[in-house]
């Protein structure tokens, strides 16, 4: 596939070639897709050419959005500049299932697809799972597709638009009865599920630590998947310390069983996951 650099080498002056983005996200499928790209200020003059080149690279792309901020607020959304206007609601396809999503209104990252599969492959039949910070529900859908005999997944999310998409995703993937979306704050919803879960998934890397007690208290005896960020030189230490000290405080036994770098988060920072057995 021809890259952006190749397509733009005669449009953008040579002294700026090193700034041409090498990566971008595509959300969607052959029914229509959105490209999301970060463009440095120095390439401001060429942003529309860059957007047109993206459409040339991927013929399913109808809409091009430029990130103009990091993820912000409780819903963890980017601010976008629209470079090529078009539909922002798409059907994203990964690992054989569909995720309906509008990334201007709800969180979704196609880059997490292998982490979803990694978690889903660990799930065993009859598990009862609490999925905190569930967004449009992609981890729950992936789990149900990998392990159709999972008993139930309680998916807690505060953004009402994400809940609406999660319901659509349950219908689209024929998972009614397996996934229960609950709109609300983990702080108020999770106490109903204390001491019930075989597995708790806490997918909020920049804030899950504030809710660790809630997550751990939901586990009867089972596995915690805790997301956090960590520096390149020692990515897991802070996350492990947080899990271990919170278990000590709650008088729970815990053993760290797995550590994983999920992906780059910022320069020299990773999004990471620590898995712990808790009983
Ligand atoms: C990083 S996103 C992950 C979404 C989803 N798990 C995914 O991977 O696509 C975190 C989600 O948590 C939600 N959220 C943030 N704080 C929350 C809280 N206190 N209770 C429930 N949901 C919350 C946000 O609205 C956002 O959709």
């Amino acid at each position: 596939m021809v890259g952006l650099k190749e397509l733009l080498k005669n449009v953008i002056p040579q002294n700026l070639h090193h700034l041409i983005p090498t990566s971008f996200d595509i959300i969607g499928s052959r029914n229509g897709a959105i490209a999301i790209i970060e463009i440095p200020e120095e390439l401001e003059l060429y942003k529309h050419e860059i957007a047109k080149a993206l459409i040339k690279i991927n013929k399913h792309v109808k809409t091009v959005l430029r990130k103009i901020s990091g993820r912000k607020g409780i819903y963890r959304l980017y601010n976008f500049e629209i470079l090529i206007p078009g539909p922002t609601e798409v059907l994203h396809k990964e690992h054989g299932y569909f995720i309906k999503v509008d990334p201007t209104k709800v969180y979704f990252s196609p880059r997490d697809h292998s982490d979803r599969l990694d978690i889903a492959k660990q799930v065993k039949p009859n598990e009862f799972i609490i999925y905190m910070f569930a967004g449009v529900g992609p981890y729950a859908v992936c789990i149900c597709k990998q392990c159709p005999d999972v008993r139930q997944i309680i998916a807690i999310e505060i953004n009402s638009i994400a809940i609406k998409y999660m319901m659509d995703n349950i219908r689209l993937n024929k998972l009614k009865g397996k996934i229960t979306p609950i709109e609300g704050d983990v702080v108020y919803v999770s106490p109903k599920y204390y001491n019930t879960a075989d597995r708790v998934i806490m997918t909020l890397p920049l804030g899950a630590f504030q809710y660790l007690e809630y997550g751990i208290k939901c586990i009867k005896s089972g596995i915690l998947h805790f997301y956090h960020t960590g520096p390149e030189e020692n990515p897991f230490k802070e996350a492990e310390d947080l899990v271990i000290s919170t278990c000590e405080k709650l008088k729970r036994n815990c053993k760290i069983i797995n550590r994983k770098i999920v992906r780059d988060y910022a320069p020299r920072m990773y999004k990471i996951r620590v898995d712990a057995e808790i009983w």
Side-chain angles (χ1 to χ4, degrees):
M1 195 201 291
V2 190
L4 268 184
K5 242 183 198 149
E6 183 62 20
L7 275 177
L8 292 163
K9 68 177 184 214
N10 296 325
V11 179
I12 295 179
Q14 197 168 7
N15 63 328
L16 297 175
H17 280 186
H18 65 289
L19 294 171
I20 298 175
T22 49
S23 69
F24 48 86
D25 285 339
I26 303 285
I27 305 183
S29 56
R30 60 177 60 177
N31 302 319
I34 303 173
I36 297 178
I37 189 161
E38 220 170 316
I39 301 175
E41 269 174 34
E42 296 89 329
L43 296 181
E44 180 68 25
L45 269 182
Y46 308 98
K47 62 187 180 187
H48 294 293
E49 298 302 329
I50 296 173
K52 281 185 221 155
L54 279 173
I55 287 198
K56 269 193 201 143
I57 289 175
N58 186 321
K59 63 180 188 315
H60 306 306
V61 169
K62 309 267 184 279
T63 310
V64 179
L65 304 177
R66 175 192 189 183
K67 283 184 209 168
I68 52 169
S69 74
R71 289 197 181 275
K72 281 191 176 158
I74 189 164
Y75 297 163
R76 312 306 301 141
L77 303 179
Y78 292 119
N79 288 329
F80 293 115
E81 175 185 0
I82 300 170
L83 294 181
I84 297 189
T88 52
E89 182 181 278
V90 286
L91 265 187
H92 183 73
K93 192 170 183 201
E94 63 176 33
H95 308 307
Y97 51 80
F98 282 103
I99 299 293
K100 189 171 167 188
V101 66
D102 181 337
T104 66
K105 298 188 177 127
V106 297
Y107 176 98
F108 181 73
S109 175
R111 296 185 194 195
D112 291 335
H113 73 95
S114 56
D115 186 59
R116 288 191 253 285
L117 200 56
D118 189 47
I119 298 272
K121 283 183 172 165
Q122 297 178 38
V123 173
K124 296 182 196 72
N126 207 32
E127 280 193 13
F128 183 71
I129 300 176
I130 310 288
Y131 173 22
M132 296 179 162
F133 318 109
V136 300
Y139 281 77
V141 174
C142 188
I143 289 170
C144 291
K145 288 292 172 186
Q146 277 293 314
C147 183
D149 293 333
V150 63
R151 189 173 1 132
Q152 209 190 354
I153 304 176
I154 305 294
I156 309 169
E157 167 58 44
I158 205 164
N159 178 348
S160 58
I161 302 178
I163 288 280
K164 177 189 122 356
Y165 279 115
M166 200 192 313
M167 288 168 155
D168 287 346
N169 290 325
I170 292 168
R171 269 191 296 274
L172 268 170
N173 294 287
K174 302 188 172 52
L175 297 173
K176 216 162 159 246
K178 287 286 176 188
I179 304 171
T180 306
I182 301 187
E183 182 181 338
D185 189 322
V186 154
V187 169
Y188 301 111
V189 178
S190 64
K192 288 185 206 132
Y193 296 98
Y194 281 173
N195 211 24
T196 60
D198 302 300
R199 186 177 301 272
V200 170
I201 308 171
M202 301 186 74
T203 54
L204 183 67
L206 267 198
F209 71 95
Q210 300 166 81
Y211 304 90
L212 245 180
E213 286 200 27
Y214 297 93
I216 291 170
K217 283 181 178 171
C218 284
I219 297 178
K220 186 175 53 178
S221 169
I223 306 295
L224 173 75
H225 300 288
F226 174 63
Y227 291 79
H228 198 51
T229 54
E232 206 173 59
E233 58 280 7
N234 202 350
F236 305 109
K237 171 138 189 4
E238 191 174 88
E240 284 180 29
D241 287 352
L242 282 162
V243 172
I244 291 166
S245 62
T246 311
C247 282
E248 277 170 8
K249 183 176 163 202
L250 298 175
K251 302 200 174 0
R252 299 293 298 262
N253 297 304
C254 121
K255 185 177 166 208
I256 305 292
I257 54 168
N258 190 21
R259 303 158 178 85
K260 201 180 157 213
I261 288 175
V262 178
R263 59 181 162 88
D264 289 344
Y265 194 81
R268 293 187 300 282
M269 282 292 277
Y270 294 123
K271 167 174 172 174
I272 61 110
R273 193 186 88 216
V274 164
D275 300 341
E277 199 178 331
I278 291 173
W279 67 100

